[in-house]
Amino acid sequence: MTLAIIHTRAGLGLEAPEVLVEVHLANGLPGMTLVGLPEAAVKESRERVRSALVNAGFDFPLRRITLNLAPADLPKEGGRFDLPIALGLLVASGQVPPEALAGVECAGELALDGRLRPVTGVLPLAMATRRAGRRLIVPLANADEAALAGDLEVLPADHLLEVVAHLLGQASISPHRAPVAVLTPEAGPDLAEVRGQHQARRALEVAAAGGHNLLFAGPPGTGKTMLASRLPGILPPLSEEEALEVAAIRSVSGLSHTEQWGVRPFRAPHHTASAVALVGGGSKPRPGEISLAHHGVLFLDELPEFSRHVLEVMREPMESGQIHIARASHERRYPAGFQLVAAMNPCPCGHLGDPRQACHCTAAQIQRYQARLSGPLLDRIDLQVEVPALAPEQLTSRQAGESSAVVRERVLAARARQASRGALNARLAGQALEEACALQAADRAWLAGVLERLKLSARAYHRVLRVALTLADLAGETRPGRDQLIEAIGYRQLDRLLKG
Ligand SMILES: [Zn+2]
């Protein structure tokens, strides 16, 4: 045997396409050639593998070695190919029988002494190995993550010697048991801690029930961030499938997966964040904040301070729920189905309309500040709510608000009504929206009159309908009536604030 083939996988976004590591030994001047589009870190693999094999006491074949990573057109990154290359050399040189690797995939970086180091993106790799019906050898530090993939035999090892002893039948590695997966929405902060702010709390509940994007406007220190961070806790618990998707995105980002398992994401990037940090990209394309917020909440505090360019690049993924990152060789696609909560001060100093403190901004300053909000982005925010400064007696009130668990029950009931329509209300538009609302003729005429007086656009009309439908779902009504329409029009406060 002078040819060996080992099964492993590349990382391409959230996909893990199969890669065959082919090792061929030939007579000739000793040396090692690596072909098949390897990137720098993979090229260094040669040196790591050579040292690891020698230091672990194996024979390093003194022949002409050709390593091929196939298919050649897949980009290959990182140290994950070290272990398959080392095992390929051991098989090709007769130190491990080829049968031992039948039905096995492996990945892992090698230290110079033969220890196995963890690699990123193990969860998508493990899910693909499970679908292929093979067993998976991974570094011990990756075992918990790999085991999240479910019905898969995960064989963890800390050292190359353990792997070889297992393959030779000298000392078996026991399959790794998954840590008990607990899906708990109770882990996060609770709404009971928010004092006062009844209208903002109500808007948060409506946002959760219909999947609507939400903008809080108000002076600093009124609890906008506190409110936003409680949205994940009143959303339905993640399904197993959603939790896996969230964990897979964290996995390819090199973030911890197990401690956040089952928790809806809440991401709050700073307003100085770059477009790449927000939507993803870079020379080795990584997911951005909008993907890390998938199935969860993206919170943009001080929205007018974000650069216009950064907000512009968010528009397309907000429509499609995913982001395409084009690279010369391959396109990566990451999911980005997040719910947006934004917050802003009403003016540069923050105190416009604040009874506690006077605003000293000029009219021109205020206009410039508010004009920074892009119209197309605002069009995608159904709920705009003022969060006023609290009166002192409200701040010191000991009366706790409703808990997240109580609010979540109502959200779940409202979402159950939407399930029969096939989409969350925030996603309804045009004819489907009109049909779902089925307004009575009198209400329709009344609404047309109000919109006319308020000079609201056709887009604004649809936002009012979407929100009114969610209010009807929360009230257990079959369609929005006058009460729901009036409340829905009230969630256009930014328009009023901007005008006056
Ligand atoms: Zn001001």
Side-chain angles (χ1 to χ4, degrees):
M1 168 62 71
T2 55
L3 177 71
I5 298 174
I6 310 291
H7 293 268
T8 185
R9 291 180 184 276
L12 197 66
L14 290 189
E15 289 160 45
E18 180 166 65
V19 168
L20 297 180
V21 175
E22 301 171 339
V23 182
H24 182 235
L25 303 187
N27 292 325
L29 221 52
M32 182 149 56
T33 315
L34 186 51
V35 295
L37 203 72
E39 303 201 350
V42 183
K43 286 184 186 145
E44 289 164 7
S45 202
R46 283 181 301 190
E47 308 312 319
R48 288 194 300 269
V49 169
R50 189 198 309 269
S51 299
L53 284 174
V54 170
N55 288 328
F58 296 105
D59 291 328
F60 187 83
L62 290 174
R63 302 178 65 185
R64 213 178 76 203
I65 303 166
T66 307
L67 297 169
N68 182 30
L69 306 182
D73 65 349
L74 271 182
K76 301 171 188 81
E77 296 164 356
R80 60 165 67 192
F81 300 102
D82 289 3
L83 180 59
I85 289 172
L87 293 178
L89 283 165
L90 290 173
V91 170
S93 60
Q95 298 175 79
V96 168
E99 319 73 86
L101 280 145
V104 173
E105 296 193 13
C106 61
E109 183 173 325
L110 283 168
L112 299 185
D113 64 356
R115 279 184 193 286
L116 281 166
R117 289 192 169 134
V119 294
T120 58
V122 160
L123 182 54
L125 181 147
M127 288 160 76
T129 306
R130 185 197 66 201
R131 286 192 289 272
R134 300 200 182 100
R135 303 187 292 285
L136 178 64
I137 301 174
V138 286
L140 186 60
N142 284 132
D144 277 352
E145 184 182 335
L148 290 177
D151 191 13
L152 164 77
E153 191 174 317
V154 175
L155 301 168
D158 206 26
H159 198 284
L160 179 61
L161 285 172
E162 289 172 37
V163 177
V164 174
H166 173 82
L167 294 173
L168 294 176
Q170 294 163 346
S172 297
I173 298 171
S174 322
H176 189 76
R177 295 258 162 262
V180 180
V182 185
L183 301 168
T184 164
E186 274 77 22
D190 201 285
L191 260 183
E193 295 147 7
V194 178
R195 300 277 187 271
Q197 299 299 9
H198 297 289
Q199 203 194 12
R201 288 178 60 115
R202 169 76 171 165
L204 206 61
E205 179 174 337
V206 176
H212 305 282
N213 296 327
L214 169 65
L215 174 65
F216 286 133
T222 51
K224 289 172 292 196
T225 304
M226 195 177 178
L227 281 157
S229 63
R230 278 145 180 86
L231 179 54
I234 60 172
L235 290 168
L238 286 179
S239 70
E240 187 90 21
E241 196 182 329
E242 290 169 334
L244 266 178
E245 217 176 347
V246 169
I249 294 166
R250 291 182 66 82
S251 171
V252 298
S253 308
L255 295 174
S256 151
H257 37 84
T258 36
E259 65 198 55
Q260 290 288 324
W261 173 246
V263 178
R264 271 197 196 271
F266 178 80
R267 304 292 300 184
H270 192 254
H271 60 73
T272 54
S274 68
V276 164
L278 205 69
V279 303
S283 58
K284 291 174 184 173
R286 295 260 177 265
E289 291 291 338
I290 61 169
S291 295
L292 289 165
H294 183 55
H295 291 313
V297 174
L298 180 73
F299 178 53
L300 301 184
D301 198 6
E302 306 201 40
L303 185 65
E305 303 290 341
F306 279 80
S307 96
R308 246 201 133 96
H309 168 64
V310 164
L311 296 180
E312 282 297 305
V313 294
M314 275 178 47
R315 278 172 54 189
E316 201 273 335
M318 277 179 79
E319 280 303 299
S320 64
Q322 55 185 347
I323 177 82
H324 295 261
I325 303 169
R327 280 292 167 277
S329 53
H330 279 271
E331 188 188 66
R332 319 268 164 122
R333 207 181 61 225
Y334 291 111
F338 60 90
Q339 196 169 349
L340 176 68
V341 181
M344 64 179 287
N345 296 333
C347 66
C349 85
H351 295 289
L352 182 65
D354 186 349
R356 301 168 306 176
Q357 207 169 327
C359 162
H360 296 294
C361 308
T362 66
Q365 281 174 325
I366 293 170
Q367 201 174 18
R368 262 202 311 278
Y369 178 77
Q370 294 179 343
R372 282 194 227 158
L373 293 178
S374 93
L377 183 69
L378 282 183
D379 274 341
R380 288 169 177 77
I381 301 180
D382 287 344
L383 296 161
Q384 304 168 357
V385 186
E386 204 177 336
V387 185
L390 286 177
E393 65 271 18
Q394 284 174 302
L395 280 173
T396 52
S397 162
R398 289 181 173 273
Q399 198 193 344
E402 271 183 317
S403 72
S404 293
V406 171
V407 177
R408 192 167 60 240
E409 286 307 313
R410 291 197 294 267
V411 168
L412 287 174
R415 286 206 170 204
R417 289 175 164 271
Q418 291 163 68
S420 62
R421 293 195 287 264
L424 283 176
N425 292 339
R427 287 269 153 206
L428 291 180
Q431 194 61 30
L433 177 63
E434 298 273 2
E435 278 170 19
C437 287
L439 293 186
Q440 287 184 333
D443 289 332
R444 186 186 304 275
W446 174 84
L447 181 58
V450 171
L451 295 177
E452 175 85 37
R453 275 201 305 284
L454 295 176
K455 296 189 170 54
L456 289 179
S457 64
R459 285 168 186 274
Y461 166 68
H462 282 132
R463 287 198 295 263
V464 168
L465 279 191
R466 279 196 289 270
V467 172
L469 187 57
T470 300
L471 294 170
D473 287 334
L474 278 168
E477 306 281 352
T478 49
R479 62 171 136 183
R482 192 69 61 90
D483 287 350
Q484 283 83 37
L485 291 173
I486 292 170
E487 186 179 346
I489 291 167
Y491 295 122
R492 314 280 325 139
Q493 293 178 346
L494 193 65
D495 293 331
R496 218 173 52 214
L497 201 67
L498 292 183
K499 279 173 195 152

